[in-house]
Amino acid sequence: MRSLPARRIAAVALTAATSVVVLAGPAFAHVTVNPGSAPQGGYTAVDFRVPNENDTASTVKLEVNLPLDHPLASVRTLPMPGWTATVEKSKLDKPIKVHGNDVNEAVSKITWTADAGTKIAPGQFQEFRVSLGPLPTDTDKLIFKALQSYDNGDVVRWIDEAKDGQPEPAKPAPVLTLAKAAAGDDHGVTATPSAAADGHGHGDAKNEAAADSSAKSSDSTARVLAVVGIVVGLIGAAFGVVGLRRKNGGSAS
């Protein structure tokens, strides 16, 4: 019996690919922090990834609230063409020590507003990059409550906190998981005394540049591995069908 036609193999692969996309879709539907983890006590660069979930309206504003129970002394936004970033600060109830200096206020909100002619259209997403640090050492996560505004007036509030043992909420807040820093970590993401040179606890350019590079590398590696896994799975499924068809055909003859 002849082998399964190429178009049948392609159909099997397409079906498998569709199943992968359908199953993976919900994981990409929320506003998230990427990468989702960073070492405690250091600096990092993250992207707030914002997908447009509305089929008839476009996203024109993102508000991200930073936790003041674990304030961050250094918060800087990466300029993005077509978007204006506004940073708001709040006075802290209790000053924090950063590299020996008292810090009395911290960034409490970042708002990105689309300029005229700019938007996140249906079927698109955008990433808003921020450098943060030094990250706290007394908690294992930071929660960033976010509001996503559309040009039709709708506002989606990504503010719900996930609870252990319970299903994920419908509108979960973006979360950055904090892990214990590895002993002897010398990758440049840990704060150094020179980071306090301006008296406000801001990290130096070397620390933040290294953190940005590390974040890009981690995210790119994860994407590549995911694509490779899908491709291998599709090939395996297609050849499995071919082998089964040949076996059944041989038994019948």
Side-chain angles (χ1 to χ4, degrees), residues 157-225:
R157 300 169 61 83
W158 303 97
I159 62 173
D160 297 331
E161 298 183 27
K163 304 296 183 182
D164 292 339
Q166 297 184 14
E168 182 183 63
K171 303 297 180 184
V175 176
L176 177 64
T177 301
L178 302 180
K180 293 291 184 181
D185 187 353
D186 59 355
H187 291 88
V189 296
T190 301
T192 63
S194 60
D198 62 4
H200 298 288
H202 294 301
D204 58 21
K206 181 179 180 181
N207 282 334
E208 295 183 356
D212 182 73
S213 176
S214 176
K216 288 181 179 179
S217 176
S218 176
D219 195 35
S220 297
T221 300
R223 293 179 183 180
V224 171
L225 291 176

Side-chain angles (χ1 to χ4, degrees), residues 96-239:
I96 59 173
K97 284 282 187 182
V98 179
H99 309 302
N101 298 311
D102 285 333
V103 176
N104 297 298
E105 63 178 11
V107 173
S108 55
K109 180 191 292 187
I110 306 174
T111 301
W112 286 271
T113 305
D115 301 336
T118 301
K119 60 186 177 181
I120 307 175
Q124 298 181 345
F125 75 95
Q126 185 59 273
E127 293 180 333
F128 301 86
R129 174 149 290 213
V130 181
S131 68
L132 308 168
L135 300 174
T137 58
D138 58 347
T139 183
D140 60 1
K141 64 182 176 180
L142 291 176
I143 299 174
F144 301 91
K145 296 185 177 183
L147 276 66
Q148 180 180 8
S149 298
Y150 289 87
D151 56 9
N152 66 352
D154 290 348
V155 177
V156 180
R157 300 169 61 83
W158 303 97
I159 62 173
D160 297 331
E161 298 183 27
K163 304 296 183 182
D164 292 339
Q166 297 184 14
E168 182 183 63
K171 303 297 180 184
V175 176
L176 177 64
T177 301
L178 302 180
K180 293 291 184 181
D185 187 353
D186 59 355
H187 291 88
V189 296
T190 301
T192 63
S194 60
D198 62 4
H200 298 288
H202 294 301
D204 58 21
K206 181 179 180 181
N207 282 334
E208 295 183 356
D212 182 73
S213 176
S214 176
K216 288 181 179 179
S217 176
S218 176
D219 195 35
S220 297
T221 300
R223 293 179 183 180
V224 171
L225 291 176
V227 172
V228 171
I230 291 174
V231 172
V232 172
L234 294 180
I235 293 174
F239 278 100

Side-chain angles (χ1 to χ4, degrees), residues 63-74:
E63 301 171 62
V64 174
N65 294 277
L66 281 69
L68 288 180
D69 54 343
H70 296 288
L72 299 166
S74 176

Side-chain angles (χ1 to χ4, degrees), residues 12 18 22 31 66 69 77 80 163 202 217 229 252:
V12 171
T18 302
V22 169
V31 172
L66 281 69
D69 54 343
T77 60
M80 179 181 298
K163 304 296 183 182
H202 294 301
S217 176

Side-chain angles (χ1 to χ4, degrees), residues 11-30:
V12 171
L14 179 60
T15 301
T18 302
S19 299
V20 170
V21 172
V22 169
L23 292 174
F28 294 98
H30 308 324

